[in-house]
Amino acid sequence: MSGAVLVAVDGNADVLGDVERELRERYARHYRIVCLSSPQKALAVLEELAGAGDEVALVLAGQWLPGMTGSELLDRTRRLHPHAKRGLLIAWGDWGDRETGEAIYTSIARGLIDHYVLRPMATPDEAFHQAISSSLLDWAESRRTSPYTIHVIGETWSGRAYELRQALGRCAIPHSFCLADSDEGRARLATVGDGIRLPVVLFPDGTVLTDPSNTELALASGSPVSPERMEFDLVIVGAGPAGLSAAVYGASEGFSTLVVDEGGLGGQATSSSLIRNYLGFPRGVSGRRLAQQAYDQAWVFGAKFAFMRQARAVERAGGELVVTLSGDARVRTRAVLLATGASYHQLGVPALEALSGAGVFYGPPSSEAPAMTGRDVYVLGGGNSAGQAALYLARYARSVTLVVRASSLDAGMSQYLTREIAATPGLEVRTGTEIVGGGGDGRLDHLVLRDRATGDEETTGADGLFIMIGARPHTRWLPSEIDRDDQGFVLTGSDLRDGTWPLQRNPLLLETSMPGVFAAGDARHGSVKRVASAVGEGSVAIQLLHRLFAANAQQPRGRAKETRPAPAT
């Protein structure tokens, strides 16, 4: 029994009885169930649980409670139990009621609740249980208690232990970290014996790796690292949203497809804690889960994958293209899709660069957020990813400060995020500000901020800094025949410069200056830096591939038959 608590509150005795019945019948074996009719009693119980250090996994509340609304109760719950998932209980059809609908919309936008949950109507009510189990899965993964969690134990937060956590994050694999001299670290190391070289990686199936390479890490987690064949219709370089989308559509439409990525799965999207504006996910979806499910979908359709393999060259050889991979593997293909994505610019402050992995992090905080509980954290950046990171950290940290060089958030951030940021307690925004210094003894403990208008500098305590200040495309390895803009983003279609297109026919929409080589997603010049647009470009690339094959009078080779079991996720 985990000991985690599920709390339900509703003033209607019949409704509360139905909720309690469903919760007890399905979850009482592993969770403690507490059902109350009074929000005041609920707050007293939640305060008692917080004082005792007991975990609360989920709180459900009806909206119209005696003395306060469910939204108010759930907002106060967040302050007592910041990791708990919070759902507003509503009856079927209540979203059509203007007052209830406005309460739901406002509460979600202000971060008072995670989402709404339909009251159970019959037993068993599987729609109710789907919402509950999804919330509990999100809670378990955020607390690193999922049974599929990989555990990393190291001597320090930085160094090789940090690199291993980065590699696991890029592969969209749930993982946790603890220091070897912590209580948890000593307990875990006791299960594997003495004299083991750190860092150590413990897998759910009992596998133990000591200071593994990234390739060994990928293989142990069930990720393929070598192509199973050397001839394809399509080679996709990059396993982010654009690449995975193209893999799903390409493999499902009969193209033999290989996806290559030097890191792992999902690209930058993997570390997005919650994508709320992606079509079809009203409760939001983490970038990691989206990547996992897209990978599973592409694999089922027959796409092949090679992780931890770097694409080093692409060239034309006769009527086909050849992609050279690390290890000198050469894969022949009729078309290539560049979906290499981009990485964040470096801050360029030596004292802070020296603390990378020890309080200073590039990219979103999905792996590091639990370590920021009760601490003062800064996020540098003015785009959607920075806003999502700040909101996610606000669930854990004592205070979060979003540092933005621009004079306002409106230029680079979606309106729904700016509204949520403004309504989130403990989240401050400092516009017109830059970070010019900082440091600490082995771990970040302070930052130096400069007002861009006045030049005034201020030193402030800081336990964490997440840097998200612009992107650099991963295109330096490409040959000169593939035209790029001044920042290195790949030019395609009508954006190609005069004299760079070698054929009489016009280039296709996403086709680069090398015929048969396409580009999609963040690495492409002019692309919209959003997950949905990257997914759309990946699917469009496959329709263009059909046109290319038709123009060349070619038929897809089709996917090879196989019986290999699906890799672990």
Side-chain angles (χ1 to χ4, degrees), residues 267-269 340-347 362-364 380-386 405 412 467-476 485-490 521-530:
Q268 294 288 354
T340 51
S343 59
Y344 293 102
H345 290 307
Q346 303 293 298
L347 182 59
Y362 281 92
L380 179 62
N384 274 13
S385 295
R405 288 171 55 87
I467 303 168
M468 307 167 73
I469 52 173
R472 181 181 67 251
H474 299 152
T475 58
R476 293 183 179 179
D485 65 16
D486 294 340
Q487 286 75 45
F489 292 91
V490 178
D522 289 0
R524 189 180 69 82
H525 169 83
S527 65
V528 178
K529 305 301 187 285
R530 297 287 188 273

Side-chain angles (χ1 to χ4, degrees), residues 221-280:
S221 61
S223 301
V225 298
S226 297
E228 298 177 1
R229 49 193 287 195
M230 292 300 171
E231 290 189 352
F232 292 88
D233 292 320
L234 174 64
V235 171
I236 300 168
V237 184
L244 290 171
S245 171
V248 169
Y249 284 97
S252 69
E253 295 181 23
F255 294 104
S256 55
T257 302
L258 172 69
V259 183
V260 179
D261 198 297
E262 65 177 307
L265 185 65
Q268 294 288 354
T270 300
S271 50
S272 292
S273 57
L274 186 66
I275 305 169
R276 275 190 50 214
N277 59 350
Y278 190 73
L279 182 67

Side-chain angles (χ1 to χ4, degrees), residues 358-359 372 375-378 439-440 443-449 459-465:
M372 298 296 145
R375 300 179 182 273
D376 300 312
V377 183
Y378 285 74
R443 186 171 180 85
L444 179 72
D445 61 23
H446 72 278
L447 293 171
V448 180
L449 309 181
T459 299
T460 180
D463 301 299
L465 170 64

Side-chain angles (χ1 to χ4, degrees), residues 43 62-63 65 67-79 88 107 110 112-113:
L43 283 173
Q63 173 62 2
L65 300 174
M68 70 176 70
T69 65
S71 300
E72 291 170 336
L73 171 62
L74 295 174
D75 183 39
R76 295 175 68 174
T77 295
R78 177 178 58 179
R79 301 169 191 177
L88 197 65
S107 297
R110 294 178 59 198
L112 306 182
I113 66 175

Side-chain angles (χ1 to χ4, degrees), residues 252-330:
S252 69
E253 295 181 23
F255 294 104
S256 55
T257 302
L258 172 69
V259 183
V260 179
D261 198 297
E262 65 177 307
L265 185 65
Q268 294 288 354
T270 300
S271 50
S272 292
S273 57
L274 186 66
I275 305 169
R276 275 190 50 214
N277 59 350
Y278 190 73
L279 182 67
F281 291 89
R283 291 177 175 82
V285 61
S286 70
R288 183 184 58 77
R289 184 170 298 174
L290 186 66
Q292 283 181 328
Q293 293 177 345
Y295 169 74
D296 292 343
Q297 191 175 14
W299 185 88
V300 166
F301 281 124
K304 310 297 183 185
F305 290 84
F307 295 129
M308 306 299 171
R309 298 295 290 269
Q310 186 179 39
R312 292 185 170 171
V314 57
E315 59 188 331
R316 185 163 294 284
E320 292 192 319
L321 296 160
V322 175
V323 179
T324 302
L325 308 180
S326 53
D328 295 326
R330 289 169 60 85

Side-chain angles (χ1 to χ4, degrees), residues 35-363:
C35 296
L36 301 161
S37 59
S38 163
Q40 291 77 22
K41 290 182 180 178
L43 283 173
V45 169
L46 290 167
E47 288 174 356
E48 182 181 342
L49 292 170
D54 291 336
E55 287 273 15
V56 174
L58 174 67
V59 180
L60 304 173
Q63 173 62 2
W64 311 118
L65 300 174
M68 70 176 70
T69 65
S71 300
E72 291 170 336
L73 171 62
L74 295 174
D75 183 39
R76 295 175 68 174
T77 295
R78 177 178 58 179
R79 301 169 191 177
L80 294 167
H81 298 276
H83 309 299
K85 296 299 175 182
R86 296 157 295 138
L88 197 65
L89 282 168
I90 68 168
W92 186 90
D94 270 2
W95 50 79
D97 175 72
R98 181 176 178 179
E99 193 172 4
T100 301
E102 182 62 27
I104 293 170
Y105 175 79
T106 302
S107 297
I108 292 176
R110 294 178 59 198
L112 306 182
I113 66 175
D114 293 307
H115 218 277
Y116 63 85
V117 177
L118 294 181
R119 300 170 183 167
M121 296 182 66
T123 185
D125 189 327
E126 299 302 342
F128 174 79
H129 290 301
Q130 182 183 32
I132 300 302
S133 60
S134 294
S135 295
L136 293 177
L137 176 59
D138 288 341
W139 172 82
E141 291 187 345
S142 70
R143 300 300 288 148
R144 304 298 188 262
T145 59
S146 163
Y148 304 106
T149 301
I150 293 174
H151 300 281
V152 181
I153 303 103
E155 292 180 287
T156 67
W157 284 86
S158 56
R160 183 57 185 158
Y162 175 59
E163 293 172 355
L164 290 172
R165 279 143 49 210
Q166 282 188 312
L168 288 168
R170 289 195 301 267
C171 289
I173 297 173
H175 61 280
S176 70
F177 173 78
C178 61
L179 293 169
D181 62 357
S182 66
D183 291 341
E184 181 184 358
R186 285 190 289 269
R188 293 196 181 280
L189 289 175
T191 66
V192 297
D194 299 326
I196 291 186
R197 186 174 70 255
L198 297 174
V200 170
V201 184
L202 308 180
F203 290 82
D205 63 357
T207 299
V208 178
L209 296 182
T210 60
D211 192 16
S213 68
N214 285 3
T215 297
E216 291 171 331
L217 194 69
L219 285 171
S221 61
S223 301
V225 298
S226 297
E228 298 177 1
R229 49 193 287 195
M230 292 300 171
E231 290 189 352
F232 292 88
D233 292 320
L234 174 64
V235 171
I236 300 168
V237 184
L244 290 171
S245 171
V248 169
Y249 284 97
S252 69
E253 295 181 23
F255 294 104
S256 55
T257 302
L258 172 69
V259 183
V260 179
D261 198 297
E262 65 177 307
L265 185 65
Q268 294 288 354
T270 300
S271 50
S272 292
S273 57
L274 186 66
I275 305 169
R276 275 190 50 214
N277 59 350
Y278 190 73
L279 182 67
F281 291 89
R283 291 177 175 82
V285 61
S286 70
R288 183 184 58 77
R289 184 170 298 174
L290 186 66
Q292 283 181 328
Q293 293 177 345
Y295 169 74
D296 292 343
Q297 191 175 14
W299 185 88
V300 166
F301 281 124
K304 310 297 183 185
F305 290 84
F307 295 129
M308 306 299 171
R309 298 295 290 269
Q310 186 179 39
R312 292 185 170 171
V314 57
E315 59 188 331
R316 185 163 294 284
E320 292 192 319
L321 296 160
V322 175
V323 179
T324 302
L325 308 180
S326 53
D328 295 326
R330 289 169 60 85
V331 180
R332 298 183 67 87
T333 181
R334 292 170 172 175
V336 173
L337 175 65
L338 304 174
T340 51
S343 59
Y344 293 102
H345 290 307
Q346 303 293 298
L347 182 59
V349 177
L352 294 178
E353 300 293 353
L355 295 176
S356 180
V360 177
F361 308 95
Y362 281 92

